[in-house]
Amino acid sequence: MPKDFSSVFIRNIAFDCDDEELKRALKIVGPYRDMKQMIGEKNVPKGYGFCTYNNPDNAASAIRNMNKLAINNRELSVGFAADK
């Protein structure tokens, strides 16, 4: 894990999972600075998003504890976000 790397990429978010439901799950592993669920045309969710935790340990914990966590019958895929 890169030093101070605290952002995670969340894939396979159920389309009926609202921000509040996702925020509750993200807070389980620790406090975070921001969360963004990506929205497409006509306000339709794209099924992925990003979360920036307050520290790298919480981000690593999110990956360990939330990867394959089922929300609304879909397993999340969680990993470190990469800069492009």
Side-chain angles (χ1 to χ4, degrees):
M1 164 180 59
K3 184 180 179 185
D4 297 332
F5 206 74
S6 57
S7 293
V8 295
F9 177 59
I10 308 156
R11 290 183 297 226
N12 207 34
I13 300 171
F15 296 114
D16 61 345
C17 178
D18 63 20
D19 280 354
E20 292 307 312
E21 191 170 14
L22 187 57
K23 285 177 182 180
R24 280 191 302 274
L26 294 168
K27 286 180 183 177
I28 291 170
V29 297
Y32 61 88
R33 286 192 294 251
D34 56 50
M35 183 278 298
K36 175 97 173 139
Q37 194 172 173
M38 304 310 289
I39 304 296
E41 293 181 27
K42 298 182 182 178
N43 208 28
V44 176
K46 290 187 170 189
Y48 69 93
F50 299 88
C51 181
T52 303
Y53 282 92
N54 291 344
N55 63 61
D57 291 335
N58 288 31
S61 178
I63 292 168
R64 282 191 312 273
N65 296 299
M66 294 186 65
N67 194 45
K68 298 192 179 191
L69 174 71
I71 297 179
N72 296 355
N73 297 317
R74 288 188 79 175
E75 285 187 358
L76 299 178
S77 175
V78 183
F80 285 111
D83 291 336
K84 290 190 176 190

